[in-house]
Amino acid sequence: MKKKIALQGYQLDKIDIYGKGWQENIVIENSRSGRWQERKIEILQKYHFNLCFENTIADYYCTEKIWDSIISGCLPIYYGGKNSTIYEDFEKNSFLDYTEFRDSNELFEYVEKMSIDEFNQRLNLCIQTFNKTYEKVKQMNRKKQVVKNIVQKFKEII
């Protein structure tokens, strides 16, 4: 499905295609070689939107693509399936949810007509979610370090 949507966007001259596994005449660059994670961020910073479709549909699993988009200032166009748990972290109307569109044509028309105010509002909601999630991870790391320190002290005592 995701490949079909990307190809339709390409044929409509709405998206550029990067990565491996595409026909040579349509792909801009195989960004998956070398320092690909850094390169991905560099590429995304040139765009306003990014297709962030899950490779694996599973409860409480979220692709790194959505986070890479937010870091780069790109509004994610996300697909995680009809029963995704993504809204346990993200507010409704933050990213564009592909499940809310009939097909890719409707999606691309919506993107074309989106106002800058709506774009900014959605991206700001995504950034807020990113910041909250980042803080949770930092707190977990601090707690892990405290536990490691306690264990180390016990080892020294014993």
Side-chain angles (χ1 to χ4, degrees):
M1 175 188 76
K2 63 184 172 182
K3 213 165 192 175
K4 179 182 172 190
I5 293 164
L7 286 172
Q8 285 178 311
Y10 173 80
Q11 291 165 350
L12 294 169
D13 200 28
K14 302 287 184 193
I15 68 169
D16 293 329
I17 295 178
Y18 291 82
K20 62 181 181 179
W22 298 94
Q23 294 173 351
E24 198 171 305
N25 62 332
I26 65 169
V27 72
I28 291 180
E29 169 187 331
N30 180 358
S31 55
R32 300 283 292 182
S33 60
R35 51 181 198 65
W36 68 269
Q37 289 178 313
E38 293 169 28
R39 182 64 184 134
K40 181 178 183 181
I41 300 301
E42 291 171 1
I43 291 167
L44 288 174
Q45 288 174 343
K46 299 176 190 175
Y47 294 93
H48 293 97
F49 299 90
N50 182 37
L51 292 178
C52 303
F53 290 8
E54 295 288 1
N55 293 327
T56 303
I57 305 290
D59 286 348
Y60 305 104
Y61 176 80
C62 179
T63 180
E64 82 286 352
K65 297 173 191 91
I66 199 166
W67 305 111
D68 292 341
S69 291
I70 296 166
I71 288 168
S72 304
C74 246
L75 186 63
I77 299 172
Y78 179 79
Y79 178 78
K82 288 280 186 194
N83 299 316
S84 174
T85 55
I86 194 75
Y87 291 113
E88 291 183 24
D89 293 314
F90 284 85
E91 285 190 44
K92 200 89 164 118
N93 297 320
S94 50
F95 57 85
L96 290 175
D97 187 342
Y98 186 75
T99 64
E100 295 177 357
F101 297 92
R102 281 188 313 258
D103 56 31
S104 57
N105 287 328
E106 185 179 35
L107 168 70
F108 293 124
E109 286 175 23
Y110 188 90
V111 167
E112 191 74 30
K113 293 176 183 174
M114 181 183 287
S115 72
I116 190 69
D117 289 338
E118 179 182 353
F119 176 89
N120 288 334
Q121 182 179 13
R122 285 177 178 270
L123 186 57
N124 283 331
L125 288 172
C126 287
I127 291 168
Q128 288 172 16
T129 298
F130 178 91
N131 289 338
K132 281 190 264 182
T133 303
Y134 180 73
E135 282 304 314
K136 286 179 189 176
V137 169
K138 277 181 25 182
Q139 287 175 5
M140 285 180 4
N141 287 339
R142 277 187 235 128
K143 288 177 183 177
K144 283 181 186 177
Q145 190 57 50
V146 167
V147 170
K148 282 182 180 180
N149 292 344
I150 292 170
V151 168
Q152 184 59 38
K153 285 289 182 190
F154 279 134
K155 284 181 178 179
E156 290 171 7
I157 293 171
I158 296 175

